Amino acid sequence: MSKAKLNKRIDMIEPSMTIGISAKAKDMCETGISVLTFSAGEPDFDTPENVKRAGIEAIKNGFTKYTAAGGINELKDAVVKKEKERNGLDYTRENVCISVGAKHSLYNIGAVMLEEGDEVIIPAPYWVTYEAIVKFTGATPVIVRTKEENGFVLDKNELEKAITGNTKIILINNPSNPTGATYEKEDLQFIAELAEKYDLWIISDEIYEDIVFDGYKPVSIATLSDYAKQRTLVVNGTSKSYSMTGWRIGYTCGDKEIISAMTKLQSQSTSNPTSISQMAAVEAIIGPQDSVTMMREKFEERRDYIVKALNEIEGLTCVTPKGAFYVFPNVSSCYGKEYEGSKINNSMDFAMVLLEKARVAVVPGIAFGEDDFVRISFATDLDTIKKGMEALKQFVNALK
Ligand code: PMP
Ligand code: GLU
């Protein structure tokens, strides 16, 4: 029998490494091997009680049937209210599409906007999925690298140099996964001006907007001019702020025609996001926000610990993230060395040998477009972080 002949685009992308490494660590745990896991990009906290109750109520009330493909009006209204109160953005229901997680929102934006020949500018290090989504549409990701010594903040000249006649979208992620870097208002202003000058669209992935440190207050690029408002697709969701990764609710706010195209696509593909999750998301977004504050404070405490611990390991350097729940230390001084006979030449080797020999799971930087680094998620308890950093220190010290 001949092998299945797949669409050529599926061969252009790799499976998500963040999900892959987490699954490997989980498999090891299930076979009785204890692994200190720092690979998952999901909060370790339970979904807040009021949110769970809203989901249970939805089931009890029989709210278990199809809904409108682009989401229920209650949830769109909650998103509109939240974007107005929090970010000063004026939207109506027609500007909002609810999807099955922010990943789905991003995928659908790509599917309705991009085609072969289009270019999308993505600052690196970038979240794994951005590049894959763009490639899958047949468009071309154009990577603009940022530097560790500049705190992974985008260089304005580099950005402008990357723009060509084919550039369609600039994709920004504030705060960033994997570096935790944040954008200042003037950087966003510059990007908004570039978009206007070159007639570009902006995708602003704001999923970590609530997880910010040192008093940083994120500004949405969509607020910076009328043009930016018209041309920005704001992407967000409940996964990170409310620890609702499994509920799968994301949303996009922006241009009515794009929203309508995304809704049409959903009507012919996934249909609606789960009815029960939508009801829970309404409560998450407009209900009490004290759990968000609690999680943010815990993340900041862990961030402080982990950055200090990493910088104390000889040979490693780690920029202090201002948001999200990841650190992205430079481990390249370990390359060319070996651990108990296993050679380490790149971030993949580093992550694999660390997992197999020291039982610590991190994600290789190459997944995010930078091979000198690994990503460590601190969305786990402080005790695990302390043990993990100690194990990492011993591992690095034992390299020869
Ligand atoms: N954007 C970024 C930057 C992320 O880290 C994630 C996490 N998976 C997402 C979007 C998508 O999250 P979800 O699909 O769970 O809403
Ligand atoms: N965004 C998370 C991460 O970066 C979850 C995994 C994924 O969706 O890729 O690890």
Side-chain angles (χ1 to χ4, degrees), residues 183 212-213 215-219:
Y183 289 78
V212 285
F213 313 123
Y216 174 74
K217 288 201 172 55
V219 172

Side-chain angles (χ1 to χ4, degrees), residues 101-103 106 127 130 173 177 205 207-208 239-240 248 326:
K103 190 182 278 188
L106 290 160
W127 177 45
Y130 297 147
N173 178 208
N177 173 5
D205 181 346
I207 199 153
Y208 294 102
S239 284
K240 315 292 172 175
R248 311 306 304 130
Y326 311 99

Side-chain angles (χ1 to χ4, degrees), residues 66-129:
Y66 292 133
T67 74
I72 56 174
N73 283 336
E74 291 93 317
L75 183 49
K76 290 186 181 181
D77 290 346
V79 167
V80 167
K81 182 170 183 284
K82 182 239 142 189
E83 289 299 335
K84 173 73 185 165
E85 285 172 3
R86 159 129 198 176
N87 294 327
L89 288 165
D90 278 305
Y91 293 117
T92 64
R93 287 177 187 169
E94 293 150 299
N95 300 112
V96 181
C97 180
I98 311 296
S99 303
V100 186
K103 190 182 278 188
H104 187 216
S105 306
L106 290 160
Y107 178 86
N108 282 353
I109 294 172
V112 305
M113 290 192 76
L114 295 171
E115 52 202 357
E116 260 166 65
D118 292 334
E119 293 175 4
V120 179
I121 295 185
I122 306 175
Y126 48 77
W127 177 45
V128 274
T129 295

